[in-house]
Structure formats: C-alpha cells, structure tokens
Amino acid sequence: MSEKLTEKVRRVEAKLAERYGRPEWAGPGDPLDELMLTILSQNTSDVNRDKGFRQLKERFPTWNQTAAADVGELEAAIAPAGLSKQKAPRMLAVLHDIERQFGELSLGELENWPSDRVKAFLTSYPGVGPKTAACVLMFAMGRPVMPVDTHVYRIAGRLGLLPPKASYEEAHDSLERITPPELVYPFHIEMIRHGRALCRPTNPKCPDCPVRDDCDYYNGRR
C-alpha cells in the first residue's frame, strides 16, 4: 500500500509542479528565527505573521534583546500577529530555556542532532507542536520533514493519502513515510498553493483541478 501511495505522491506532485511551478529550498536559515516565526504564525495569516515578525525585529534586533524585554513590550511588538498576550510569554519562556540549556540564544547545536531528537526537543515546549517542529526542520535545516497545516491536511485527506480520520499528528508521520525525501519541500509548498487557489475548504474548484483524476474526494471514493 505504501508503495502505491508513494507512486500517487509522485504523480500528484508532478501535476502540481506543472501548474504552480516546483519551488526550490532557499538554503539554510536560522533555526531560532524559524521557531519564533512559526510561533507567531499560529492562528493568524501569513501577512499578519510577517508584519509581527518584522515589527519584532525592528524593535528588538537581536534575540538577546528580545529575551531581556518586558512581556508588555514584547506583546506590543508582535501585536500585528494576533494573540500577543499568549504568544509573548510563550516566546520568552522558550528563549530563556534555550539560553539556559545551550549557554546562548542559538539553536545551532540542533544541526548535529537527528530529526527525531530535534522534534522531541522542540515539542517539549508548551504551544510548540509537530507542525512548528517540522517547519524548523524543513525550512531552516533542509530536512525531509513534512509540516502539516490546514491546506496540506485537507488536500492529503481528499487525495486519499492519509488514513481515515487521521489526526494532525498522525498525518505528519503518514505523509513523511510515503513522500520521497527530495519531494517533501516542493510537495508541501505546492499543496499550500493548490489549497489557496483551487482546493478550498468549501466549494473547491474541482473542474479546474490538475489532480482530480487522483482525488478520492472528486471521484467519490471517500
């Protein structure tokens, strides 16, 4: 079964790449930047997340300055990202613990760790789930770890790539098992683009969908 699903992933990814273009990983980033950015992204739009992160870096150019900030100052700095009263103390707690564990505000040490250990470390923080950990691993470190957001979860479910009623956490593991490592990054981005353009939560534009022949939802199999 997994081999058939992997073949399906390859077919779907190729069709999505033809429609939206195949993105390439931009190269290594700062894992701590990505962790803080992903915390800001929770329950908000990409536009508001980016506004919050940009305003944060303008107010506190370094993570040392952020860690030394008063929680109220940090709330004001990240306000555009929403839920600042929840996110600010969460970010400070993570920064303080990283400094305590590594002696500096850096996650560079994680480059030497296997992905499972990085996942376990990051998800040990309150409010940091599998998606946030996967974003750090994939975007900043280039690891073949699939973040599952609402678009990826919805599309993978409709395509029949996930077990019935799979949870978000189960979806991460399921998609990683069946997605070839070299396709994890482009497939993730392509599914997000597809979810925004055509495969919407309601009234998906199935007649214009390039992967409808492989879609269980469209073909009435689920």
Side-chain angles (χ1 to χ4, degrees):
M1 175 62 75
S2 62
E3 291 181 1
K4 289 184 178 180
L5 289 177
T6 296
E7 291 173 6
K8 190 172 190 176
V9 167
R10 289 188 182 278
R11 286 196 308 273
V12 169
E13 191 281 328
K15 293 174 183 177
L16 292 178
E18 185 176 352
R19 172 63 68 94
Y20 302 108
R22 179 174 287 126
E24 295 184 4
W25 183 55
D30 184 329
L32 185 52
D33 281 5
E34 187 62 40
L35 176 59
M36 294 294 112
L37 182 68
T38 309
I39 290 174
L40 283 178
S41 76
Q42 295 166 356
N43 298 299
T44 195
S45 67
D46 290 352
V47 171
N48 290 338
R49 172 204 65 193
D50 292 343
K51 284 182 181 178
F53 191 75
R54 185 167 56 250
Q55 188 164 293
L56 168 66
K57 298 304 286 184
E58 289 171 356
R59 178 67 181 82
F60 304 109
T62 71
W63 292 121
N64 284 309
Q65 290 173 313
T66 305
D70 176 84
V71 67
E73 293 178 305
L74 184 53
E75 287 174 11
I78 65 172
L83 299 175
S84 61
K85 289 188 178 297
Q86 296 167 353
K87 293 176 182 177
R90 183 177 298 165
M91 292 169 70
L92 287 174
V94 171
L95 289 171
H96 294 160
D97 190 71
I98 288 171
E99 187 170 29
R100 179 186 65 80
Q101 292 206 52
F102 299 110
E104 60 179 344
L105 281 169
S106 170
L107 291 177
E109 178 64 25
L110 272 56
E111 297 284 355
N112 302 315
W113 294 8
S115 294
D116 285 347
R117 185 181 176 191
V118 175
K119 287 181 187 178
F121 171 75
L122 294 176
T123 56
S124 69
Y125 291 120
V128 177
K131 176 197 164 187
T132 299
C135 284
V136 173
L137 281 158
M138 188 185 76
F139 286 108
M141 302 170 69
R143 306 282 183 93
V145 177
M146 176 73 77
V148 177
D149 70 353
T150 56
H151 296 297
V152 172
Y153 184 80
R154 178 175 67 256
I155 294 169
R158 286 175 173 174
L159 288 167
L161 297 176
L162 298 176
K165 299 181 180 180
S167 68
Y168 270 79
E169 187 166 350
E170 292 166 340
H172 283 83
D173 294 335
S174 294
L175 286 175
E176 280 181 34
R177 280 195 298 268
I178 64 174
T179 305
E182 71 276 11
L183 294 183
V184 168
Y185 178 83
F187 193 36
H188 170 82
I189 301 297
E190 289 156 6
M191 281 195 283
I192 291 175
R193 291 173 177 172
H194 188 52
R196 289 172 175 166
L198 298 177
C199 195
R200 298 171 180 173
T202 57
N203 301 316
K205 298 181 178 180
C206 296
D208 192 35
C209 177
V211 298
R212 62 181 181 274
D213 290 344
D214 274 303
C215 181
D216 288 6
Y217 174 86
Y218 177 74
N219 293 293
R221 293 194 291 269
R222 296 188 73 165

